[in-house]
Amino acid sequence: MPRPFVRPALHFSPELLLQAQAVRVVFFDVDGVLTDGGLHFTEHGETIKRFNTLDGHGIKLLQKAGITPAVVTGRDSLPLRLRLQQLGVNHVVYGTEDKVPAAQSILDALGLSWSQAAAMGDDWPDLPVMQRCAFACAPSNAHAENSAIADYVTQAPGGQGAVRELCDLLLVASGQYARLLEAYQR
């Protein structure tokens, strides 16, 4: 006999959900957010990155809900480009330390404003984008300054499910979470 349908188990405060309700684009940093922040180098000097599949699935769910994932990062590497391509993330700016103009260019391309944006960052270069967005998030292992301005600090550290936590919160806030969960139970 099949088990009954799973009901959504996530619960966020109504105030938090209300604040995140208008989000239509999410800016993610890479190192320390989509990865654990460690830099692994091969003997040939190539960078190796580790990505979490929960985070990747969360990004795909955002897209299904009509929320655009975007990446603004200070680094550039082939593994990163391949992973973002696999996830269908089309709005990416690589190799930039000045993240506000990069994020603004993505907002302009999407016809959105900062009041419709969320950001997740773990260190000082992410602060200016986080400060401008309607909703700011930091992974649990973020620098203290990022955690201090975040509207939400995840339970999971960067690269270990923190992105998925933010994605789930935004899906609940958008009213899409239960519908998406149900589609996986058929």
Side-chain angles (χ1 to χ4, degrees):
M1 173 188 274
R3 294 180 184 213
F5 280 108
V6 175
R7 292 182 180 210
L10 295 176
H11 300 284
F12 299 99
S13 75
E15 297 82 13
L16 197 61
L17 295 174
L18 187 61
Q19 186 175 0
Q21 197 169 19
V23 170
R24 296 296 171 259
V25 61
V26 187
F27 296 109
F28 295 104
D29 177 41
V30 175
D31 294 324
V33 173
L34 285 169
T35 74
D36 64 7
L39 296 176
H40 307 276
F41 293 94
T42 68
E43 60 192 36
H44 303 291
E46 298 168 319
T47 304
I48 299 171
K49 296 188 180 286
R50 179 185 172 278
F51 298 94
N52 186 290
T53 58
L54 286 173
D55 293 343
H57 191 69
I59 287 171
K60 289 180 178 181
L61 290 171
L62 283 181
Q63 293 166 326
K64 287 182 180 181
I67 300 171
T68 302
V71 170
V72 179
T73 179
R75 294 196 181 270
D76 189 359
S77 69
L78 182 57
L80 173 60
R81 286 180 180 259
L82 290 172
R83 182 61 178 151
L84 295 178
Q85 182 181 17
Q86 290 171 346
L87 295 174
V89 177
N90 299 318
H91 299 279
V92 185
V93 177
Y94 300 98
T96 183
E97 291 301 318
D98 192 2
K99 295 185 176 191
V100 170
Q104 184 66 59
S105 70
I106 293 170
L107 288 173
D108 293 344
L110 295 171
L112 298 173
S113 68
W114 290 103
S115 65
Q116 297 170 293
M120 185 175 208
D122 71 311
D123 207 349
W124 291 6
D126 306 312
L127 288 170
V129 172
M130 291 174 69
Q131 289 172 314
R132 285 168 174 76
C133 287
F135 193 84
C137 184
S140 64
N141 61 333
H143 189 277
E145 303 303 337
N146 296 71
S147 295
I149 68 161
D151 299 300
Y152 181 71
V153 176
T154 65
Q155 293 180 17
Q160 298 180 38
V163 166
R164 179 59 179 271
E165 279 187 53
L166 173 58
C167 293
D168 287 344
L169 187 156
L170 295 174
L171 293 170
V172 172
S174 73
Q176 301 286 330
Y177 186 90
R179 176 186 66 80
L180 291 167
L181 177 61
E182 186 177 321
Y184 282 88
Q185 299 183 65
R186 296 179 185 188

